[in-house]
Amino acid sequence: MIEIKDLHKSYHMGSNSLHVLKGINFNVKEGELVSIMGSSGSGKSTLLNILGMLDEADKGEYVLDGVPIKNLNEKIAARYRNEFLGFVFQSFNLINYKSATDNVALPLYYKGIPRKERIEKAEHYLEKVGLADWSHHLPSELSGGQKQRVAIARALASEPKVLLADEPTGALDTKTSYEVMELIQGINDEGKTILVVTHEDDIAHMTKRIVNLKDGVIINDSLVEQVRVKQNV
């Protein structure tokens, strides 16, 4: 599903150059639930941006679902992002003046799906994340956990091949974090490939594999005994 080979990325600041990723090799099979861990500056955000086609490596190969991701113009990159990827962010990134349904339906608008079908799909995915009764509420009327559920429904609505979650529990308390991870585990149980960037060890152990980054290299990549959330809540 994801193949990364000898990935390098540097950022140039004036006369200085910061080598952030230093030869990353990394594969993810379809249906995996993987966490990427590392302290600030380890390169995990840069790696996620490259995986999400928001940035491009200087050197190396990135193949997503059999498609080489290299030298794409923005129009093609946007089409591939819409087709392959769903994003979940720490800060939810919801539009404040739109209802939960309209937020979830937004990616479908960019795919050219008719409004009636968009709304039906959005309501289906809100029901899937347990928010059917909140579909007409604005983000300001929702708790942090509910906002993240809306964001997950929005990411799922376009039926992506891979879900990229960047610190999805970072703005939530422990109980709500575990509820969100329970939802993510359930989505993975249905076969969705999911990558979770986190700095929290307990959250990482709710995935099935942990990849540790330090100073731009992978220092450990191991399968773990997955902690099912119901044991913790």
mmCIF file of all heavy atoms in Angstrom, residues 38-84:
data_model
loop_
_atom_site.group_PDB
_atom_site.id
_atom_site.type_symbol
_atom_site.label_atom_id
_atom_site.label_comp_id
_atom_site.label_asym_id
_atom_site.label_seq_id
_atom_site.Cartn_x
_atom_site.Cartn_y
_atom_site.Cartn_z
ATOM 1 N N GLY A 38 8.012 9.858 17.887
ATOM 2 C CA GLY A 38 9.294 10.559 17.891
ATOM 3 C C GLY A 38 9.127 11.892 18.587
ATOM 4 O O GLY A 38 8.043 12.468 18.586
ATOM 5 N N SER A 39 10.197 12.365 19.182
ATOM 6 C CA SER A 39 10.132 13.657 19.863
ATOM 7 C C SER A 39 10.062 14.773 18.829
ATOM 8 O O SER A 39 10.226 14.543 17.625
ATOM 9 C CB SER A 39 11.359 13.834 20.767
ATOM 10 O OG SER A 39 12.523 13.748 19.975
ATOM 11 N N SER A 40 9.848 15.977 19.309
ATOM 12 C CA SER A 40 9.820 17.140 18.427
ATOM 13 C C SER A 40 11.163 17.248 17.700
ATOM 14 O O SER A 40 12.218 17.139 18.315
ATOM 15 C CB SER A 40 9.564 18.394 19.271
ATOM 16 O OG SER A 40 9.482 19.513 18.453
ATOM 17 N N GLY A 41 11.106 17.408 16.364
ATOM 18 C CA GLY A 41 12.337 17.502 15.586
ATOM 19 C C GLY A 41 12.840 16.173 15.061
ATOM 20 O O GLY A 41 13.877 16.117 14.399
ATOM 21 N N SER A 42 12.113 15.090 15.355
ATOM 22 C CA SER A 42 12.564 13.756 14.910
ATOM 23 C C SER A 42 12.319 13.528 13.424
ATOM 24 O O SER A 42 12.906 12.641 12.815
ATOM 25 C CB SER A 42 11.853 12.663 15.716
ATOM 26 O OG SER A 42 10.445 12.728 15.497
ATOM 27 N N GLY A 43 11.389 14.311 12.838
ATOM 28 C CA GLY A 43 11.085 14.161 11.416
ATOM 29 C C GLY A 43 9.726 13.544 11.141
ATOM 30 O O GLY A 43 9.342 13.361 9.985
ATOM 31 N N LYS A 44 8.954 13.274 12.199
ATOM 32 C CA LYS A 44 7.677 12.574 11.972
ATOM 33 C C LYS A 44 6.658 13.444 11.237
ATOM 34 O O LYS A 44 5.926 12.937 10.384
ATOM 35 C CB LYS A 44 7.097 12.012 13.282
ATOM 36 C CG LYS A 44 6.726 13.006 14.350
ATOM 37 C CD LYS A 44 6.262 12.273 15.612
ATOM 38 C CE LYS A 44 5.663 13.212 16.645
ATOM 39 N NZ LYS A 44 6.608 14.205 17.163
ATOM 40 N N SER A 45 6.627 14.738 11.527
ATOM 41 C CA SER A 45 5.690 15.619 10.807
ATOM 42 C C SER A 45 6.088 15.752 9.342
ATOM 43 O O SER A 45 5.232 15.756 8.451
ATOM 44 C CB SER A 45 5.638 17.000 11.458
ATOM 45 O OG SER A 45 5.099 16.892 12.757
ATOM 46 N N THR A 46 7.397 15.845 9.086
ATOM 47 C CA THR A 46 7.881 15.923 7.705
ATOM 48 C C THR A 46 7.515 14.654 6.944
ATOM 49 O O THR A 46 7.046 14.711 5.803
ATOM 50 C CB THR A 46 9.416 16.132 7.695
ATOM 51 O OG1 THR A 46 9.709 17.343 8.395
ATOM 52 C CG2 THR A 46 9.946 16.227 6.277
ATOM 53 N N LEU A 47 7.713 13.496 7.591
ATOM 54 C CA LEU A 47 7.360 12.228 6.959
ATOM 55 C C LEU A 47 5.867 12.187 6.650
ATOM 56 O O LEU A 47 5.456 11.794 5.542
ATOM 57 C CB LEU A 47 7.752 11.057 7.863
ATOM 58 C CG LEU A 47 7.387 9.658 7.347
ATOM 59 C CD1 LEU A 47 8.022 9.375 5.988
ATOM 60 C CD2 LEU A 47 7.784 8.589 8.364
ATOM 61 N N LEU A 48 5.052 12.631 7.609
ATOM 62 C CA LEU A 48 3.601 12.609 7.385
ATOM 63 C C LEU A 48 3.209 13.549 6.248
ATOM 64 O O LEU A 48 2.343 13.217 5.433
ATOM 65 C CB LEU A 48 2.853 12.988 8.666
ATOM 66 C CG LEU A 48 1.365 12.649 8.626
ATOM 67 C CD1 LEU A 48 1.154 11.147 8.854
ATOM 68 C CD2 LEU A 48 0.576 13.439 9.644
ATOM 69 N N ASN A 49 3.860 14.714 6.174
ATOM 70 C CA ASN A 49 3.564 15.662 5.089
ATOM 71 C C ASN A 49 3.907 15.073 3.724
ATOM 72 O O ASN A 49 3.198 15.305 2.738
ATOM 73 C CB ASN A 49 4.316 16.973 5.302
ATOM 74 C CG ASN A 49 3.695 17.827 6.387
ATOM 75 O OD1 ASN A 49 2.529 17.628 6.746
ATOM 76 N ND2 ASN A 49 4.451 18.750 6.929
ATOM 77 N N ILE A 50 4.999 14.307 3.668
ATOM 78 C CA ILE A 50 5.373 13.663 2.400
ATOM 79 C C ILE A 50 4.373 12.549 2.073
ATOM 80 O O ILE A 50 3.915 12.441 0.934
ATOM 81 C CB ILE A 50 6.821 13.135 2.463
ATOM 82 C CG1 ILE A 50 7.800 14.332 2.493
ATOM 83 C CG2 ILE A 50 7.129 12.227 1.271
ATOM 84 C CD1 ILE A 50 9.229 13.972 2.811
ATOM 85 N N LEU A 51 4.013 11.749 3.069
ATOM 86 C CA LEU A 51 3.010 10.699 2.858
ATOM 87 C C LEU A 51 1.686 11.303 2.392
ATOM 88 O O LEU A 51 0.976 10.729 1.565
ATOM 89 C CB LEU A 51 2.789 9.897 4.144
ATOM 90 C CG LEU A 51 3.939 8.998 4.603
ATOM 91 C CD1 LEU A 51 3.665 8.446 6.000
ATOM 92 C CD2 LEU A 51 4.171 7.859 3.629
ATOM 93 N N GLY A 52 1.366 12.480 2.932
ATOM 94 C CA GLY A 52 0.112 13.143 2.592
ATOM 95 C C GLY A 52 0.179 13.996 1.333
ATOM 96 O O GLY A 52 -0.781 14.689 1.001
ATOM 97 N N MET A 53 1.314 13.943 0.639
ATOM 98 C CA MET A 53 1.514 14.718 -0.595
ATOM 99 C C MET A 53 1.369 16.213 -0.371
ATOM 100 O O MET A 53 0.953 16.960 -1.253
ATOM 101 C CB MET A 53 0.550 14.261 -1.701
ATOM 102 C CG MET A 53 0.879 12.901 -2.254
ATOM 103 S SD MET A 53 -0.229 12.452 -3.607
ATOM 104 C CE MET A 53 -1.156 11.166 -2.827
ATOM 105 N N LEU A 54 1.699 16.653 0.838
ATOM 106 C CA LEU A 54 1.707 18.080 1.145
ATOM 107 C C LEU A 54 3.117 18.640 0.993
ATOM 108 O O LEU A 54 3.328 19.841 1.011
ATOM 109 C CB LEU A 54 1.203 18.317 2.575
ATOM 110 C CG LEU A 54 -0.209 17.783 2.856
ATOM 111 C CD1 LEU A 54 -0.516 17.837 4.348
ATOM 112 C CD2 LEU A 54 -1.257 18.555 2.067
ATOM 113 N N ASP A 55 4.088 17.733 0.875
ATOM 114 C CA ASP A 55 5.485 18.095 0.682
ATOM 115 C C ASP A 55 6.119 16.987 -0.159
ATOM 116 O O ASP A 55 5.537 15.913 -0.306
ATOM 117 C CB ASP A 55 6.190 18.203 2.040
ATOM 118 C CG ASP A 55 7.442 19.069 1.988
ATOM 119 O OD1 ASP A 55 7.877 19.419 0.872
ATOM 120 O OD2 ASP A 55 7.981 19.387 3.069
ATOM 121 N N GLU A 56 7.290 17.254 -0.716
ATOM 122 C CA GLU A 56 7.938 16.251 -1.564
ATOM 123 C C GLU A 56 9.369 16.026 -1.099
ATOM 124 O O GLU A 56 10.049 16.964 -0.680
ATOM 125 C CB GLU A 56 7.918 16.707 -3.031
ATOM 126 C CG GLU A 56 8.235 15.569 -3.990
ATOM 127 C CD GLU A 56 7.945 15.928 -5.445
ATOM 128 O OE1 GLU A 56 6.952 16.643 -5.694
ATOM 129 O OE2 GLU A 56 8.702 15.496 -6.321
ATOM 130 N N ALA A 57 9.798 14.770 -1.151
ATOM 131 C CA ALA A 57 11.163 14.435 -0.748
ATOM 132 C C ALA A 57 12.163 14.979 -1.755
ATOM 133 O O ALA A 57 11.842 15.204 -2.920
ATOM 134 C CB ALA A 57 11.300 12.918 -0.627
ATOM 135 N N ASP A 58 13.406 15.189 -1.280
ATOM 136 C CA ASP A 58 14.492 15.605 -2.181
ATOM 137 C C ASP A 58 15.032 14.403 -2.946
ATOM 138 O O ASP A 58 15.503 14.526 -4.068
ATOM 139 C CB ASP A 58 15.641 16.226 -1.375
ATOM 140 C CG ASP A 58 15.186 17.431 -0.576
ATOM 141 O OD1 ASP A 58 14.307 18.161 -1.070
ATOM 142 O OD2 ASP A 58 15.692 17.629 0.538
ATOM 143 N N LYS A 59 14.988 13.251 -2.285
ATOM 144 C CA LYS A 59 15.587 12.056 -2.869
ATOM 145 C C LYS A 59 14.842 10.845 -2.321
ATOM 146 O O LYS A 59 14.338 10.871 -1.194
ATOM 147 C CB LYS A 59 17.074 11.999 -2.470
ATOM 148 C CG LYS A 59 17.835 10.815 -3.015
ATOM 149 C CD LYS A 59 19.245 10.770 -2.424
ATOM 150 C CE LYS A 59 19.876 9.415 -2.702
ATOM 151 N NZ LYS A 59 20.985 9.115 -1.799
ATOM 152 N N GLY A 60 14.774 9.790 -3.121
ATOM 153 C CA GLY A 60 14.131 8.555 -2.676
ATOM 154 C C GLY A 60 12.828 8.297 -3.412
ATOM 155 O O GLY A 60 12.415 9.089 -4.264
ATOM 156 N N GLU A 61 12.187 7.187 -3.078
ATOM 157 C CA GLU A 61 10.961 6.775 -3.759
ATOM 158 C C GLU A 61 9.793 6.701 -2.786
ATOM 159 O O GLU A 61 9.947 6.273 -1.647
ATOM 160 C CB GLU A 61 11.147 5.374 -4.385
ATOM 161 C CG GLU A 61 12.167 5.317 -5.491
ATOM 162 C CD GLU A 61 12.406 3.885 -5.972
ATOM 163 O OE1 GLU A 61 11.505 3.035 -5.782
ATOM 164 O OE2 GLU A 61 13.483 3.627 -6.510
ATOM 165 N N TYR A 62 8.641 7.119 -3.272
ATOM 166 C CA TYR A 62 7.390 6.974 -2.531
ATOM 167 C C TYR A 62 6.357 6.427 -3.506
ATOM 168 O O TYR A 62 6.039 7.067 -4.501
ATOM 169 C CB TYR A 62 6.957 8.336 -1.954
ATOM 170 C CG TYR A 62 5.570 8.369 -1.336
ATOM 171 C CD1 TYR A 62 4.960 7.226 -0.818
ATOM 172 C CD2 TYR A 62 4.871 9.573 -1.246
ATOM 173 C CE1 TYR A 62 3.697 7.280 -0.245
ATOM 174 C CE2 TYR A 62 3.607 9.641 -0.670
ATOM 175 C CZ TYR A 62 3.029 8.491 -0.168
ATOM 176 O OH TYR A 62 1.778 8.541 0.403
ATOM 177 N N VAL A 63 5.873 5.219 -3.210
ATOM 178 C CA VAL A 63 4.852 4.578 -4.044
ATOM 179 C C VAL A 63 3.613 4.363 -3.179
ATOM 180 O O VAL A 63 3.694 3.771 -2.096
ATOM 181 C CB VAL A 63 5.351 3.233 -4.617
ATOM 182 C CG1 VAL A 63 4.254 2.549 -5.436
ATOM 183 C CG2 VAL A 63 6.595 3.448 -5.477
ATOM 184 N N LEU A 64 2.477 4.875 -3.636
ATOM 185 C CA LEU A 64 1.221 4.764 -2.909
ATOM 186 C C LEU A 64 0.213 3.985 -3.744
ATOM 187 O O LEU A 64 -0.157 4.416 -4.841
ATOM 188 C CB LEU A 64 0.677 6.170 -2.595
ATOM 189 C CG LEU A 64 -0.695 6.264 -1.925
ATOM 190 C CD1 LEU A 64 -0.718 5.526 -0.593
ATOM 191 C CD2 LEU A 64 -1.088 7.719 -1.708
ATOM 192 N N ASP A 65 -0.167 2.825 -3.246
ATOM 193 C CA ASP A 65 -1.131 1.969 -3.942
ATOM 194 C C ASP A 65 -0.710 1.724 -5.397
ATOM 195 O O ASP A 65 -1.520 1.794 -6.325
ATOM 196 C CB ASP A 65 -2.535 2.589 -3.877
ATOM 197 C CG ASP A 65 -3.630 1.560 -4.144
ATOM 198 O OD1 ASP A 65 -3.458 0.382 -3.759
ATOM 199 O OD2 ASP A 65 -4.658 1.916 -4.750
ATOM 200 N N GLY A 66 0.586 1.479 -5.570
ATOM 201 C CA GLY A 66 1.118 1.174 -6.905
ATOM 202 C C GLY A 66 1.442 2.377 -7.759
ATOM 203 O O GLY A 66 1.931 2.236 -8.885
ATOM 204 N N VAL A 67 1.180 3.591 -7.254
ATOM 205 C CA VAL A 67 1.414 4.816 -8.040
ATOM 206 C C VAL A 67 2.654 5.549 -7.499
ATOM 207 O O VAL A 67 2.678 5.941 -6.329
ATOM 208 C CB VAL A 67 0.191 5.764 -7.964
ATOM 209 C CG1 VAL A 67 0.471 7.059 -8.720
ATOM 210 C CG2 VAL A 67 -1.057 5.085 -8.497
ATOM 211 N N PRO A 68 3.701 5.743 -8.329
ATOM 212 C CA PRO A 68 4.857 6.520 -7.871
ATOM 213 C C PRO A 68 4.449 7.985 -7.657
ATOM 214 O O PRO A 68 3.876 8.605 -8.547
ATOM 215 C CB PRO A 68 5.866 6.398 -9.029
ATOM 216 C CG PRO A 68 5.358 5.281 -9.891
ATOM 217 C CD PRO A 68 3.872 5.248 -9.711
ATOM 218 N N ILE A 69 4.753 8.506 -6.465
ATOM 219 C CA ILE A 69 4.407 9.890 -6.141
ATOM 220 C C ILE A 69 5.672 10.724 -6.322
ATOM 221 O O ILE A 69 6.533 10.778 -5.452
ATOM 222 C CB ILE A 69 3.868 10.000 -4.695
ATOM 223 C CG1 ILE A 69 2.701 9.026 -4.465
ATOM 224 C CG2 ILE A 69 3.466 11.435 -4.381
ATOM 225 C CD1 ILE A 69 1.495 9.237 -5.360
ATOM 226 N N LYS A 70 5.801 11.339 -7.478
ATOM 227 C CA LYS A 70 7.031 12.065 -7.791
ATOM 228 C C LYS A 70 6.736 13.150 -8.826
ATOM 229 O O LYS A 70 6.064 12.896 -9.829
ATOM 230 C CB LYS A 70 8.062 11.075 -8.370
ATOM 231 C CG LYS A 70 9.437 11.647 -8.615
ATOM 232 C CD LYS A 70 10.243 11.707 -7.343
ATOM 233 C CE LYS A 70 11.671 12.150 -7.610
ATOM 234 N NZ LYS A 70 12.366 12.563 -6.411
ATOM 235 N N ASN A 71 7.220 14.345 -8.571
ATOM 236 C CA ASN A 71 7.108 15.461 -9.528
ATOM 237 C C ASN A 71 5.679 15.659 -10.042
ATOM 238 O O ASN A 71 5.452 15.863 -11.234
ATOM 239 C CB ASN A 71 8.050 15.241 -10.731
ATOM 240 C CG ASN A 71 9.503 15.147 -10.306
ATOM 241 O OD1 ASN A 71 9.907 15.798 -9.350
ATOM 242 N ND2 ASN A 71 10.264 14.321 -10.999
ATOM 243 N N LEU A 72 4.715 15.586 -9.131
ATOM 244 C CA LEU A 72 3.316 15.790 -9.539
ATOM 245 C C LEU A 72 3.004 17.275 -9.530
ATOM 246 O O LEU A 72 3.406 17.985 -8.606
ATOM 247 C CB LEU A 72 2.370 15.073 -8.567
ATOM 248 C CG LEU A 72 2.592 13.572 -8.345
ATOM 249 C CD1 LEU A 72 1.580 13.053 -7.336
ATOM 250 C CD2 LEU A 72 2.466 12.803 -9.648
ATOM 251 N N ASN A 73 2.267 17.741 -10.543
ATOM 252 C CA ASN A 73 1.803 19.126 -10.427
ATOM 253 C C ASN A 73 0.673 19.160 -9.391
ATOM 254 O O ASN A 73 0.116 18.134 -9.015
ATOM 255 C CB ASN A 73 1.378 19.708 -11.780
ATOM 256 C CG ASN A 73 0.142 19.032 -12.364
ATOM 257 O OD1 ASN A 73 -0.834 18.787 -11.660
ATOM 258 N ND2 ASN A 73 0.176 18.726 -13.654
ATOM 259 N N GLU A 74 0.338 20.379 -8.932
ATOM 260 C CA GLU A 74 -0.592 20.500 -7.797
ATOM 261 C C GLU A 74 -1.967 19.919 -8.124
ATOM 262 O O GLU A 74 -2.624 19.336 -7.273
ATOM 263 C CB GLU A 74 -0.709 21.966 -7.367
ATOM 264 C CG GLU A 74 -1.623 22.194 -6.153
ATOM 265 C CD GLU A 74 -1.370 21.242 -4.982
ATOM 266 O OE1 GLU A 74 -0.204 20.947 -4.667
ATOM 267 O OE2 GLU A 74 -2.372 20.770 -4.405
ATOM 268 N N LYS A 75 -2.384 20.042 -9.374
ATOM 269 C CA LYS A 75 -3.705 19.534 -9.756
ATOM 270 C C LYS A 75 -3.759 18.008 -9.621
ATOM 271 O O LYS A 75 -4.711 17.452 -9.064
ATOM 272 C CB LYS A 75 -4.020 19.955 -11.201
ATOM 273 C CG LYS A 75 -5.458 19.714 -11.597
ATOM 274 C CD LYS A 75 -5.751 20.286 -12.982
ATOM 275 C CE LYS A 75 -7.186 19.990 -13.391
ATOM 276 N NZ LYS A 75 -7.463 20.433 -14.758
ATOM 277 N N ILE A 76 -2.720 17.325 -10.115
ATOM 278 C CA ILE A 76 -2.683 15.859 -10.019
ATOM 279 C C ILE A 76 -2.494 15.432 -8.570
ATOM 280 O O ILE A 76 -3.135 14.498 -8.091
ATOM 281 C CB ILE A 76 -1.565 15.277 -10.922
ATOM 282 C CG1 ILE A 76 -1.915 15.515 -12.395
ATOM 283 C CG2 ILE A 76 -1.376 13.787 -10.667
ATOM 284 C CD1 ILE A 76 -0.827 15.140 -13.369
ATOM 285 N N ALA A 77 -1.623 16.146 -7.832
ATOM 286 C CA ALA A 77 -1.408 15.829 -6.414
ATOM 287 C C ALA A 77 -2.717 15.950 -5.637
ATOM 288 O O ALA A 77 -3.043 15.092 -4.813
ATOM 289 C CB ALA A 77 -0.345 16.749 -5.818
ATOM 290 N N ALA A 78 -3.486 17.001 -5.923
ATOM 291 C CA ALA A 78 -4.774 17.191 -5.240
ATOM 292 C C ALA A 78 -5.738 16.052 -5.575
ATOM 293 O O ALA A 78 -6.463 15.565 -4.704
ATOM 294 C CB ALA A 78 -5.375 18.543 -5.636
ATOM 295 N N ARG A 79 -5.723 15.626 -6.835
ATOM 296 C CA ARG A 79 -6.614 14.519 -7.233
ATOM 297 C C ARG A 79 -6.228 13.230 -6.518
ATOM 298 O O ARG A 79 -7.089 12.503 -6.006
ATOM 299 C CB ARG A 79 -6.558 14.325 -8.757
ATOM 300 C CG ARG A 79 -7.492 13.232 -9.260
ATOM 301 C CD ARG A 79 -7.739 13.367 -10.753
ATOM 302 N NE ARG A 79 -6.562 13.118 -11.558
ATOM 303 C CZ ARG A 79 -6.114 11.892 -11.872
ATOM 304 N NH1 ARG A 79 -6.738 10.817 -11.437
ATOM 305 N NH2 ARG A 79 -5.036 11.759 -12.617
ATOM 306 N N TYR A 80 -4.941 12.958 -6.436
ATOM 307 C CA TYR A 80 -4.475 11.756 -5.733
ATOM 308 C C TYR A 80 -4.780 11.836 -4.236
ATOM 309 O O TYR A 80 -5.163 10.852 -3.621
ATOM 310 C CB TYR A 80 -2.972 11.543 -5.949
ATOM 311 C CG TYR A 80 -2.608 10.945 -7.276
ATOM 312 C CD1 TYR A 80 -1.301 10.984 -7.748
ATOM 313 C CD2 TYR A 80 -3.562 10.322 -8.089
ATOM 314 C CE1 TYR A 80 -0.948 10.434 -8.977
ATOM 315 C CE2 TYR A 80 -3.218 9.780 -9.315
ATOM 316 C CZ TYR A 80 -1.917 9.837 -9.755
ATOM 317 O OH TYR A 80 -1.583 9.300 -10.967
ATOM 318 N N ARG A 81 -4.592 13.043 -3.664
ATOM 319 C CA ARG A 81 -4.925 13.212 -2.236
ATOM 320 C C ARG A 81 -6.390 12.870 -1.997
ATOM 321 O O ARG A 81 -6.734 12.167 -1.047
ATOM 322 C CB ARG A 81 -4.649 14.654 -1.782
ATOM 323 C CG ARG A 81 -3.245 14.881 -1.267
ATOM 324 C CD ARG A 81 -3.128 16.157 -0.460
ATOM 325 N NE ARG A 81 -3.441 17.347 -1.225
ATOM 326 C CZ ARG A 81 -2.570 18.028 -1.948
ATOM 327 N NH1 ARG A 81 -1.305 17.644 -2.025
ATOM 328 N NH2 ARG A 81 -2.932 19.106 -2.601
ATOM 329 N N ASN A 82 -7.264 13.401 -2.865
ATOM 330 C CA ASN A 82 -8.700 13.142 -2.720
ATOM 331 C C ASN A 82 -9.036 11.669 -2.906
ATOM 332 O O ASN A 82 -9.935 11.136 -2.270
ATOM 333 C CB ASN A 82 -9.498 13.975 -3.735
ATOM 334 C CG ASN A 82 -9.629 15.421 -3.312
ATOM 335 O OD1 ASN A 82 -9.485 15.726 -2.141
ATOM 336 N ND2 ASN A 82 -9.874 16.315 -4.251
ATOM 337 N N GLU A 83 -8.297 11.024 -3.808
ATOM 338 C CA GLU A 83 -8.600 9.641 -4.155
ATOM 339 C C GLU A 83 -8.050 8.658 -3.129
ATOM 340 O O GLU A 83 -8.702 7.679 -2.775
ATOM 341 C CB GLU A 83 -7.969 9.345 -5.525
ATOM 342 C CG GLU A 83 -8.379 8.024 -6.144
ATOM 343 C CD GLU A 83 -7.731 7.848 -7.518
ATOM 344 O OE1 GLU A 83 -7.530 8.857 -8.231
ATOM 345 O OE2 GLU A 83 -7.416 6.696 -7.849
ATOM 346 N N PHE A 84 -6.844 8.933 -2.621
ATOM 347 C CA PHE A 84 -6.131 7.948 -1.817
ATOM 348 C C PHE A 84 -6.186 8.213 -0.316
ATOM 349 O O PHE A 84 -6.082 7.282 0.472
ATOM 350 C CB PHE A 84 -4.644 7.906 -2.210
ATOM 351 C CG PHE A 84 -4.363 7.313 -3.554
ATOM 352 C CD1 PHE A 84 -3.619 8.022 -4.491
ATOM 353 C CD2 PHE A 84 -4.813 6.055 -3.893
ATOM 354 C CE1 PHE A 84 -3.326 7.480 -5.738
ATOM 355 C CE2 PHE A 84 -4.529 5.509 -5.134
ATOM 356 C CZ PHE A 84 -3.789 6.218 -6.058
#
